[in-house]
């Protein structure tokens, strides 16, 4: 029989654990909420995702259309720049690759801007959202994603600090030139790799 899970025992990963990036702590079963703007009210009926900008085929998917794409899951860890990490999360949704396969980024489209329905933005090299590294997710632990965590649908880019994972995602714009998003304009690092501790501008 499998033993009790780590969450029930409250046994947390500590400094030096190979899965804990430098300067992070294990939040255990907690999942802090970090939101800069008022929490919006979006329903599956009013939600949609648009991929536009430097693409051959700008496309918008409704909830039903997005759910008709091949399903994809992420099982793994997430890391917030405010130093909490959360291990063994389970998210379900669709890979950003599936959207880009249809929208077809032009070769000169080397960056993306994620935009929330609320106006929150964050920028990334396109290589950080392709190749099975980024998802639109609508389920956490088998249940609909809670509104305070970005439900009905958020972006998930778990190999970077969690501010790159836009809650209430509504648009992914492919860009020829990099532009800073909300936190990047306010001093956060352009890329945000937790393993390199890229927290603020000027970090390596
Ligand atoms: N729309 C939106 N998305 C957002 C944020 C935000 O303020 N607004 N905060 C970011 C930051 S800094 C973090 S750490 C995570 C927090 O997600 P959570 O509240 O589900 O933990 O969402 C990211 N995405
Ligand atoms: Mo964050």
């Amino acid at each position: 029989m499998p033993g009790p899970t780590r969450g029930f025992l409250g046994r947390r990963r500590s400094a030096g654990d190979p899965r804990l990036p430098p300067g992070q702590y294990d939040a255990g079963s907690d999942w802090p909420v970090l939101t800069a703007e008022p929490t919006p009210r979006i329903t599956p009926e009013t939600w949609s995702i648009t991929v536009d900008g430097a693409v051959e085929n700008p496309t918008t998917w409704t909830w039903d259309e997005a759910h008709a794409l091949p399903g994809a899951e992420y099982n793994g860890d997430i890391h917030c720049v405010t130093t909490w990490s959360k291990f063994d999360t389970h998210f379900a949704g669709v890979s950003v690759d599936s959207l880009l396969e249809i929208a077809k980024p032009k070769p000169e489209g080397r960056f993306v801007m994620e935009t929330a329905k609320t106006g929150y933005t964050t920028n990334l090299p396109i290589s950080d959202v392709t190749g099975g590294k980024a998802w639109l997710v609508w389920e956490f632990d088998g249940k609909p994603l809670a509104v305070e965590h970005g439900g009905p649908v958020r972006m998930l880019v778990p190999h970077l600090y969690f501010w790159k994972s836009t809650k209430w995602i509504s648009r992914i714009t492919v860009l020829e030139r990099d532009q800073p998003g909300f936190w990047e304009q306010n001093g956060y690092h352009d890329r945000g790799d937790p393993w390199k501790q890229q927290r603020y501008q000027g970090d390596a």
Side-chain angles (χ1 to χ4, degrees), residues 31-37 80 120 149 154 162-163 165 167:
W31 188 1
V33 171
L34 285 116
T35 304
E37 70 273 36
C80 173
Y120 179 94
H149 290 300
R154 78 178 296 158
F162 215 33
W163 88 79
S165 294
K167 306 199 277 191

Side-chain angles (χ1 to χ4, degrees), residues 31-37 78-82 84 116-118 120-121 148-150 154 161-169 182-183 188:
W31 188 1
V33 171
L34 285 116
T35 304
E37 70 273 36
I78 56 178
H79 311 288
C80 173
V81 70
T82 62
W84 57 266
K117 188 81 181 263
T118 55
Y120 179 94
T121 54
E148 66 269 24
H149 290 300
R154 78 178 296 158
Y161 283 127
F162 215 33
W163 88 79
K164 297 290 185 179
S165 294
T166 300
K167 306 199 277 191
W168 314 293
I169 185 83
F182 174 76
W183 281 118
Y188 279 30

Side-chain angles (χ1 to χ4, degrees), residues 53-55 106-112 173-179:
V55 296
K106 295 179 179 170
E108 59 269 31
R110 295 193 299 116
F111 301 92
V112 298
T173 304
V174 178
L175 299 170
E176 293 180 31
R177 272 174 300 278
D178 198 17
Q179 282 173 30

Side-chain angles (χ1 to χ4, degrees), residues 2-84:
T5 65
R6 178 177 54 88
F8 288 140
L9 286 175
R11 190 154 44 77
R12 298 186 175 190
R13 290 168 190 273
S14 48
D17 186 298
R19 276 174 63 188
L20 191 65
Q24 297 291 111
Y25 75 92
D26 180 354
S29 55
D30 295 343
W31 188 1
V33 171
L34 285 116
T35 304
E37 70 273 36
T39 298
R41 207 167 257 285
I42 303 164
T43 64
E45 292 73 36
T46 57
W47 177 83
S48 66
I49 180 75
T50 296
V51 177
D52 63 1
V55 296
E56 285 171 24
N57 190 27
T59 305
T60 298
W61 292 263
T62 63
W63 174 264
D64 287 343
E65 288 163 348
H67 282 68
L69 296 167
E73 288 181 16
Y74 173 72
N75 298 305
D77 310 336
I78 56 178
H79 311 288
C80 173
V81 70
T82 62
T83 73
W84 57 266

Side-chain angles (χ1 to χ4, degrees), residues 71 191 200:
R191 175 132 189 280
Y200 307 108

